[in-house]
Amino acid sequence: MQKFLHVMGMAALLALAGCGDKVADEGGTAGAIADTSKPVQRQPGSWSTKMEIIKLEGPDIKAGERDQMQAMMNMMGSVSICLTPEAVAKEDIAKNLEGMSNQGGECQFDKKDIRGNRVSFAATCKTKDGGGAKITAEGKNDATSQDITISTTGTKPDGSAAGEMVMRITGTRTGECKPGDITPPMPGAAPGQAEGAATS
């Protein structure tokens, strides 16, 4: 179950990272994209995010576990993020999902449709222990708002069901970065390079 929850957490993070500055369809994935219009990029500034766990079920899910996870998500959502122009330039859902391989998973796109303000993809991920998960995401990513629903269905190494989670992530740009905002580390930054509260 911990492996399953880890994969779901990574799925949430990739959605929070937004869309990139290109349409990606590499790796021989199914569903080639005919429309090559660029994805909409988020505007730099102060962003607030809400993460709602719509569904969390599974044979190993204990009573109260959904409430505990929701409380953790609420704490994460209580912090405003300063999205810098440099961070916007590096946002790329495709690369973020593929980067899950570095977190102990191996993911392959089954569908990838990221263009305009549309976010729609499906991926199959495997973990080192032989388990895995199917991840789908549907929603929109606009310059000043996000609304993406992610569904994750996990399997154990023996092929049996590990559980299912459906999460809705909404984000809103509330203005320019302000003191007290958190500035996340840039993708690929070395440990210790994370920035603290924004000063602008």
Side-chain angles (χ1 to χ4, degrees):
M1 179 52 62
Q2 291 301 318
K3 291 274 188 182
F4 173 56
L5 295 179
H6 175 74
V7 171
M8 289 190 293
M10 290 300 299
L13 289 176
L14 72 90
L16 286 172
C19 290
D21 57 359
K22 64 177 181 177
V23 175
D25 189 34
E26 301 98 353
T29 55
I33 300 170
D35 184 352
T36 58
S37 60
K38 280 189 173 183
V40 173
Q41 285 189 319
R42 293 194 293 167
Q43 286 185 9
S46 181
W47 282 75
S48 63
T49 301
K50 178 182 177 181
M51 293 175 281
E52 178 186 3
I53 300 176
I54 299 174
K55 181 178 182 180
L56 180 61
E57 297 178 353
D60 299 323
I61 297 293
K62 299 179 176 60
E65 199 159 29
R66 174 179 174 176
D67 291 340
Q68 292 174 7
M69 287 194 67
Q70 185 63 65
M72 180 180 68
M73 298 300 179
N74 292 343
M75 290 180 62
M76 293 173 62
S78 67
V79 179
S80 295
I81 300 297
C82 175
L83 185 65
T84 65
E86 293 79 13
V88 168
K90 289 183 176 293
E91 286 190 331
D92 194 322
I93 279 185
K95 287 184 178 179
N96 290 338
L97 185 58
E98 289 161 3
M100 289 174 63
S101 297
N102 297 326
Q103 303 293 328
E106 179 182 345
C107 298
Q108 179 177 356
F109 283 108
D110 303 308
K111 179 183 75 170
K112 188 189 305 179
D113 189 352
I114 302 172
R115 49 185 168 171
N117 71 345
R118 177 179 173 82
V119 176
S120 177
F121 64 80
T124 302
C125 300
K126 296 180 180 179
T127 55
K128 290 182 178 180
D129 66 356
K134 287 188 175 294
I135 303 171
T136 62
E138 296 286 341
K140 63 179 183 177
N141 185 78
D142 291 315
T144 58
S145 65
Q146 278 185 320
D147 190 343
I148 301 173
T149 298
I150 302 174
S151 300
T152 307
T153 303
T155 54
K156 298 180 181 180
D158 63 4
S160 61
E164 180 182 5
M165 180 178 183
V166 179
M167 177 186 294
R168 183 184 180 192
I169 300 174
T170 54
T172 304
R173 185 184 185 276
T174 59
E176 300 300 321
C177 292
K178 57 186 181 296
D181 285 356
I182 299 298
T183 304
M186 291 290 291
Q193 289 185 329
E195 299 180 33
T199 57
S200 59

